[in-house]
């Protein structure tokens, strides 16, 4: 009485499903083992062995070294302060974007997020052009007041690093606090008011408990990013200020102290893992709170009222505040583009930088022509995107394998296994990834001849958490019951994927892919550590020119990166939302 | 036409047993309503039959073929989950053809079947719409059509009326009943609402504590519920649990509204009492008869069942947190209500149904 075709197909399905899981575990597992866990174990080896035997001496040396301690304290202090400033500025801005609706809001939000995915080296250049000694702000200051000493100093100062970090991460808080504010139903506030509660009581008892998890997880994310900051501190911090990331890099590259570098990398990894676990905890609490909540929040139009002058002042203040943030966000980006047309000397064409792209004049310094650097950049980014997407889609398939997890209502072993083995790569800094690769493979032929393979693999490791996050969040919107119904209707595994799952996740795949592309496009720390010979990227090229007197050429190269990043963002905006979370 | 049997089904969820050695049989072409409170495992059982969840133990047969190990694709069971879950990116027509296309039918056959099912479920004018353009009732019809299009051996409906507004419920329930009868589809219908069972079931099965506690025609179960809990789940009026029993010279049952003296000994355990609204009489005068149970009440609400039939909902004077329902005629009511809105009610304990 049961169709044999259906029976046969069900059997094939079950085999297909099992093979996918085995394939993922094999592909993903071996990828991680080969390019993450094995390199990591190499770091362990350097931290705990003097070449012959096991020793704690490197660990003890590292943690008692006063220089290391002071850099560790600095790393914490700057991350904490950057985080606090981002919170102070970002939470009200998030409130504004949650509460008010206006034309171009989505575009504005997307544009304000650009700094976050802008290559670090581009941000740095933007800062130098805008706030540097002979930058725009200081020139205007001198022009207006006649005072020669600059108003802002970014090199070798604590505030320079803070401003850059706030610029970089502010959008994380803004974007993540919007859903926080939106999760508070306005009716609750109305009810509380009708019960006679004061604004302060409402904030404390009604609003705060509902938004605190969102804000803590956003804050932890900013903390992680700034804790692992590299390019900005490497250049702005000069010798005075170093994050652990910079310190490790200098130990490895400048002092060739591999044992010291590996030990410090290990300590950094432990700290990072602790923060990431804390973050995942708050993130899952946020998700639990959001579950089952219907979005009833309604934004209102910005309008001035004739009677309520208090409200008018409020709104005007908010608009001014947002305008100030916009100027802060966009000026370094605009400055770069303008600088690329600013002749570095008399008689030079405004298009000199763009003409230089096709010349070999700077080849001795850059290792390759600017055009080849651009091509390298695009090629690495494309390869990274393809590899990241393949691995991420497979990963999501195991993490959300209905066939495995729904049976008996238990989380399957494969799902558990996979979700644990990816925590560590998430917590590993770019420099650590690069060091691991370097220590394990630096004598291999592939490393010596085709270092780009390792550059791409590192970019893939950095991108996977972001990409799989985008795909997962799209996948989570699928109602499992829908897939259940589809299978009771006789649809095969493949058909369910093609007809139901794919239409839901393809936007997530596109967004994740672009994210991977953008990350690879501007990745600096790991690339800079690994790069050899002609395999440089635009970011590396810019970093080599950043301390020269002619900012026109690096600004040109940075402008190209800015334009590609903006295009990526416009595409993302068309296809879905940006996931800043890891 | 098919017969469904479940034998010794057990299911744990987070170490808690939600179904325990459950047995149930549904006859050819029968509509059986599975009635139980929320969280009692009804939906789980439905999913087990559909093959979406694997039970810890137990077997399921369709006719005499065991299906326990078949995947949901093969079982050919129509499943309509509580929230309907239409495929939102497909039009109604594509939603319905989804299951047919999995069966490699010719285009003409598919077209024929769509026309047949759309007529049957009365959704011919909705075929070109997207789910978001449908009302709750329409969505439920489409979900029903989608499940019925594959001509299932068995139809599973999970609270099909729960998301429908009150006015459309009866009509939809009757549509479901009509389609089920016309196609003689054996159907398992899950709900927590006793009225739905009264409206359309052939038989009703009451579930709690992971087991089927009583199966039968609604009227039979309603008149002779095995215990207080079953009567409560069915939503019978005027039932109370027994707080304790006193056995001196005469056995006396204590409930939260009154004490009920019994004649003679009781053999089985009594869990509750049912005082049918029809056995209760009203009076404005004091009643002094030791053989009757008398209670003083206030009138809370009067529901006009017909021109001459009233149902009174009365608060107890001694215990205002309890209320009791009484059926009477209009003239009786008007005659017996005093100026303080007070009324006396009485009934013979012999007529009280012991649960």
């Amino acid at each position: 009485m049961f169709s044999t075709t259906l029976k046969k197909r069900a059997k094939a399905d079950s085999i297909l499903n099992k093979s996918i899981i085995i394939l993922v575990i094999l592909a993903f597992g071996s990828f991680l083992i080969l390019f993450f866990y094995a390199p990591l174990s190499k770091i362990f080896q350097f931290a705990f062995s003097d070449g012959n035997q096991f020793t704690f001496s490197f660990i003890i040396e590292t943690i008692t070294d006063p220089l290391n301690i002071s850099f560790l304290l600095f790393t914490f202090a700057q991350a904490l302060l950057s985080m606090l400033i981002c919170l102070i500025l970002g939470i009200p801005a998030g409130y504004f974007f949650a509460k008010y609706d206006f034309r171009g809001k989505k575009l504005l939000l997307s544009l304000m997020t650009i700094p976050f995915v802008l290559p670090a080296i581009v941000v740095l250049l933007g800062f130098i052009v805008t706030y540097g000694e002979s930058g725009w702000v200081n020139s205007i200051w001198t022009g207006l007041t006649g005072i020669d000493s600059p108003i802002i100093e970014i090199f070798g100062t604590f505030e320079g690093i803070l401003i850059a970090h706030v610029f970089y991460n502010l959008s994380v808080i803004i974007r993540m606090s919007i859903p926080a504010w939106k999760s508070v139903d306005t009716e609750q506030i109305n009810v509380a008011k009708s019960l006679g509660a004061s604004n302060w009581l409402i904030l404390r008892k009604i609003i705060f408990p509902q938004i605190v998890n969102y804000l803590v997880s956003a804050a932890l994310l900013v903390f992680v990013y700034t804790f692992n900051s590299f390019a900005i501190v490497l250049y702005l911090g000069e010798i005075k200020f170093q994050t652990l990331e910079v310190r490790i890099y200098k130990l490895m590259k400048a002092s060739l102290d591999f044992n010291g570098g590996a030990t410090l990398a290990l300590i950094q990894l432990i700290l990072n893992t602790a923060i990431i676990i804390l973050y995942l905890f708050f993130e899952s609490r946020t998700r639990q709170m959001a579950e089952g909540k219907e979005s009833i929040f309604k934004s209102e139009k910005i309008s001035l009222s004739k009677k309520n002058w208090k409200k008018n002042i409020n709104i005007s203040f908010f608009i001014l505040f947002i305008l100030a943030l916009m100027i802060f966000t966009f000026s370094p980006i605009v400055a770069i583009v303008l600088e690329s047309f600013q002749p570095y000397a008399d008689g030079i064409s405004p298009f000199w930088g763009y003409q230089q792209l096709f010349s070999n004049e700077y080849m001795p310094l850059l290792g390759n022509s600017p055009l080849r650097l651009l091509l390298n950049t695009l090629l690495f980014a494309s390869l990274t995107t393809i590899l990241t997407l393949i691995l991420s889609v497979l990963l999501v398939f195991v993490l959300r394998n209905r066939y495995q997890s729904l049976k008996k209502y238990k989380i399957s072993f494969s799902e558990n296994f996979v979700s644990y083995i990816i925590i560590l790569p998430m917590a590993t800094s770019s420099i650590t990834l690069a060091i691991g690769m370097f220590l394990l493979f630096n004598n291999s032929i592939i490393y010596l001849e085709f270092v780009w393979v390792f550059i791409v693999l590192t970019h893939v490791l950095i991108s996977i958490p972001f990409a799989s996050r985008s795909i997962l969040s799209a996948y989570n919107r699928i109602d499992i019951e829908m897939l259940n119904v589809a299978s009771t209707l006789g649809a095969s595994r493949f058909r369910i994927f093609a007809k139901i799952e794919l239409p839901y996740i393809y936007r997530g795949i596109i967004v994740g892919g672009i994210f991977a592309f953008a990350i690879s496009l501007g990745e600096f720390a790991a690339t800079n550590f690994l790069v050899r010979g002609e395999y440089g990227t635009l970011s590396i090229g810019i970093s080599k020119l950043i301390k020269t007197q002619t900012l026109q050429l690096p600004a040109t190269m940075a402008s190209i990166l800015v334009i590609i990043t903006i295009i990526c963002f416009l595409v993302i905006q068309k296809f879905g939302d940006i996931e800043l979370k890891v | 036409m098919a017969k469904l049997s479940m034998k010794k089904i057990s299911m744990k969820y987070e170490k808690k047993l939600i179904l325990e050695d459950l047995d149930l049989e549904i006859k050819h072409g029968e509509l059986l309503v599975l009635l139980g409170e929320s969280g009692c495992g009804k939906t789980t059982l439905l999913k087990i039959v559909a093959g979406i969840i694997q039970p810890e133990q137990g077997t399921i047969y369709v006719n005499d073929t065991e299906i326990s190990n078949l995947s949901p694709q093969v079982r050919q069971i129509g499943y309509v989950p509580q929230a309907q879950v239409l495929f939102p990116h497909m039009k109604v027509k594509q939603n319905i053809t989804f299951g047919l296309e999995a069966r490699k039918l010719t285009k003409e056959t598919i077209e024929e079947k769509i026309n047949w099912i759309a007529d049957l479920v009365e959704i011919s004018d909705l075929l070109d719409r997207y789910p978001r353009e449908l009302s709750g009732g329409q969505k439920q019809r489409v979900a029903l059509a989608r499940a019925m299009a594959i001509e299932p051996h068995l139809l599973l409906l999970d609270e099909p009326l729960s998301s429908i507004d009150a006015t459309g419920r009866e009509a939809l329930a009757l549509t479901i009943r009509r389609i089920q009868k016309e196609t003689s589809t054996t159907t398992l219908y899950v709900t927590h609402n006793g009225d739905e069972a009264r409206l359309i079931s052939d038989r009703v099965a009451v579930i709690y504590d992971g087991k089927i506690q009583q199966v039968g025609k609604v009227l039979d179960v309603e008149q002779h519920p095995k215990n207080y809990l079953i009567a409560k789940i069915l939503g019978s009026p005027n039932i109370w649990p027994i707080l304790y029993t006193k056995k001196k010279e005469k056995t006396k049952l204590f409930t939260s509204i009154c004490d009920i003296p019994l004649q003679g000994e009781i053999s089985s355990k009594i869990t509750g009492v049912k005082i049918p609204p029809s056995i209760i009489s009203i009076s404005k005068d004091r009643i002094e008869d030791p053989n009757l149970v008398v209670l003083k009440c206030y009138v809370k609400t009067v529901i006009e069942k017909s021109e001459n039939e009233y149902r009174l909902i009365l608060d107890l004077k001694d215990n205002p947190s309890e209320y009791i329902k009484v059926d009477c005629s209009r003239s009786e009511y008007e005659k017996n209500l005093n100026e303080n809105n007070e009324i006396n009610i009485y009934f013979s304990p012999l007529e009280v149904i012991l649960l």
Side-chain angles (χ1 to χ4, degrees), chain A residues 408-462:
Chain A
K408 304 193 176 177
Y409 276 134
K410 277 181 205 150
I411 296 175
S412 71
F413 169 75
S414 50
E415 185 178 334
N416 256 332
F417 178 73
V418 170
S419 49
Y420 281 118
I421 60 168
I422 55 171
I423 289 189
L424 214 47
M426 275 166 68
T428 311
S429 73
S430 313
I431 286 286
T432 310
L433 289 172
I435 290 176
M437 295 267 192
F438 170 78
L439 291 179
L440 186 63
F441 296 108
N442 65 357
N443 291 321
S444 72
I445 299 217
I446 311 180
Y447 185 84
L448 296 172
E449 299 286 323
F450 310 103
V451 73
W452 60 270
V453 173
F454 293 102
I455 294 178
V456 169
L457 288 173
T458 319
H459 291 184
V460 171
L461 280 169
I462 299 172

Side-chain angles (χ1 to χ4, degrees), chain B residues 107-223:
Chain B
K107 269 196 173 167
E108 293 79 45
T109 327
I110 290 181
E111 203 60 35
E112 259 171 45
K113 289 204 180 207
I114 289 177
N115 291 335
W116 161 74
I117 196 72
D119 275 347
L120 191 68
V121 188
E122 296 165 354
I123 52 166
S124 303
D125 50 335
L126 306 177
L127 291 177
D128 278 329
R129 292 204 200 164
Y130 279 102
R132 57 175 178 273
E133 300 163 341
L134 303 178
S135 73
Q138 289 170 331
K139 276 186 197 156
Q140 194 67 51
R141 277 167 194 266
V142 174
L144 187 65
R146 183 177 63 183
M148 289 298 294
I150 60 167
E151 295 177 65
H153 298 311
L154 196 71
L155 179 64
L156 306 176
L157 300 169
D158 192 356
E159 305 252 5
L161 307 186
S162 64
S163 58
I164 314 295
D165 50 37
T167 49
R169 274 189 202 175
E170 199 174 80
L172 183 64
L174 295 173
T175 308
I176 292 173
R177 181 57 161 165
R178 174 177 58 75
I179 294 164
Q180 184 264 334
K181 278 221 160 159
E182 272 179 37
T183 55
S184 311
T185 309
T186 310
T187 302
L188 179 57
Y189 180 118
V190 161
T191 179
H192 64 274
N193 185 341
D195 288 336
E196 289 174 34
R198 288 183 193 93
L199 192 62
I200 62 171
S201 72
D202 288 312
R203 287 191 308 155
V204 59
V206 181
I207 177 174
Y208 64 84
D209 285 348
K211 283 188 171 140
I212 302 292
Q213 303 287 346
Q214 191 170 1
V215 192
K217 292 204 149 94
V218 183
L219 265 182
D220 293 342
V221 178
E222 185 136 47
Q223 278 169 5

Side-chain angles (χ1 to χ4, degrees), chain B residues 26-127:
Chain B
I26 309 178
K27 297 172 192 160
H28 289 291
E30 179 184 45
L31 189 153
L32 183 124
V33 169
L34 182 64
L35 188 65
E37 292 170 327
S38 0
C40 70
K42 303 174 301 235
T43 301
T44 307
L45 186 67
L46 217 58
K47 287 188 173 175
I48 287 174
V49 177
I52 295 161
I53 302 175
Q54 209 108 75
E56 303 269 327
Q57 52 161 296
T59 40
I60 305 164
Y61 298 88
V62 169
N63 291 340
D64 292 317
T65 316
E66 189 185 335
I67 61 162
S68 324
N69 296 318
L70 295 182
S71 77
Q73 282 105 311
V74 185
R75 294 191 184 196
Q76 207 170 338
I77 289 176
Y79 170 54
V80 183
Q82 185 168 6
Q84 306 120 18
V85 287
L86 301 177
F87 307 132
H89 53 297
M90 297 181 194
K91 287 182 174 175
V92 168
K93 191 171 175 180
Q94 291 158 323
N95 261 281
I96 299 172
T97 48
F98 187 85
L100 298 173
E101 279 165 4
R103 289 179 164 66
K104 303 244 158 71
L105 304 172
T106 61
K107 269 196 173 167
E108 293 79 45
T109 327
I110 290 181
E111 203 60 35
E112 259 171 45
K113 289 204 180 207
I114 289 177
N115 291 335
W116 161 74
I117 196 72
D119 275 347
L120 191 68
V121 188
E122 296 165 354
I123 52 166
S124 303
D125 50 335
L126 306 177
L127 291 177

Side-chain angles (χ1 to χ4, degrees), chain A residues 71-92:
Chain A
F71 288 142
L72 176 67
L73 288 178
F74 164 75
T75 310
F76 262 108
Q78 60 82 23
L80 203 65
L81 270 174
S82 308
M83 179 190 94
L84 284 176
I85 300 173
C86 282
L87 283 174
I88 291 167
L89 296 175
I91 294 174

